[in-house]
Amino acid sequence: MQESDLVCAVDLGGTNLRTANIDRDGRIHERVRTPTPGSKPAADVVSAITAAVRECEARASKRGAAVLAVSVVVPGSVQVETGAVFNAPNIPSLQGYELAPALETALGRPVLLENDANAAALGEMWRGAARGHQTILCLTLGTGVGGGILLDGKLWRGADGTAGEIGHTSVDPFGGVKCKCCNRGCLEVYASATAIVRMTREALAQHPGSPLHSINAAELTSEKIFRAAIECDELALEVFRKMGVYLGVAMANFVNILNPEMIVIGGGVSAAWEVFAQHARAEVIKRAFPVPAQRCKIVRAECRDDAGLLGAAWLAWEVH
Ligand SMILES: [Zn+2]
């Protein structure tokens, strides 16, 4: 073991494939970023990851460092025994595909595989907002809503590797809004970037004076709605209030079930923290038992886009 030793972490996102060499202290060294061949066959995804890892290895060896392990995170559930991916709507070709064995063949070495939101939770515990904490939930609010659960410092994967899907817990049995998981009323359809845009569109007619009317429907984004909320637009504020309430309902359930020390909220939508967090926190205080509700810190994530990469690296270092 040398001080210069590295692990190569890969974060396969729906849009970007991000790869980085990370040392034992969580410092990120070489980075490679390429588009994800999301609509192409699984073999193309394997080739893209292999090429990115090879480039990271080459750049490390140029300065005398060695890559000891490869660890990959994916936007889907991972079957630990077979290394297969499932529930991966953003990269359909990976559905049921045994990605870990395919990468091991291509790279000629063992490859760890994990769900991206689980990895983000580990990343935040190792190098982010949850440093020093052991029992945490991590929610990633992006296009969808990812979740990860760490109990006593260990990732809770469940019996089949599907645990932590906080985004697909039901928060509205009567809502009727369909989720891409086929259920209706999931947290994801009220707290994701996609949900914020939808809820805004639905409420536009009731707010004829809102400046959001001037934005082309196709160009409406959660960032633009957040900016309107900052300018005190009532429609935008109401959408983020509702989103915060739904988030708080889900979190209150987890506070009562798991008594976590901390809930970390990351992902692109967490940029709108100042217009939703107080509503989420108030809902937790209102609904959960006082002792766990007071104890649980609700904080914004710190690792940004690197949370998944850091979690992937943490998993690799755990076994090296
Ligand atoms: Zn769902």
Side-chain angles (χ1 to χ4, degrees), residues 85-104:
V85 177
F86 56 107
N87 301 336
N90 294 324
I91 310 180
S93 66
L94 291 185
Q95 182 64 31
Y97 184 72
E98 294 189 356
L99 181 61
L103 286 171
E104 287 178 350

Side-chain angles (χ1 to χ4, degrees), residues 165 167-170 177-189:
E165 290 292 353
H168 300 282
T169 50
S170 298
V177 179
K178 196 167 182 187
C179 182
K180 65 186 180 214
C181 77
C182 295
N183 185 26
R184 286 177 183 272
C186 290
L187 176 62
E188 179 164 302
V189 298

Side-chain angles (χ1 to χ4, degrees), residues 10-13 16-20 22 28 31 33 73 116 119-120 123-124 140-142 266-270 301-311:
V10 180
D11 186 350
L12 179 67
N16 292 308
L17 169 63
R18 300 168 67 249
T19 309
I22 300 179
I28 296 178
R31 288 180 186 266
R33 188 185 182 121
V73 300
D116 55 0
E124 289 293 335
T140 306
L141 311 179
V269 179
S270 68
E302 289 177 5
C303 297
R304 296 173 181 252
D305 286 352
D306 290 333
L309 284 172
L310 288 163

Side-chain angles (χ1 to χ4, degrees), residues 207-228:
H207 294 83
S210 170
L212 290 168
H213 280 280
S214 64
I215 300 173
N216 206 316
E219 285 162 16
L220 197 58
T221 61
S222 60
E223 290 88 353
K224 288 177 186 169
I225 299 161
F226 168 54
R227 261 180 262 143

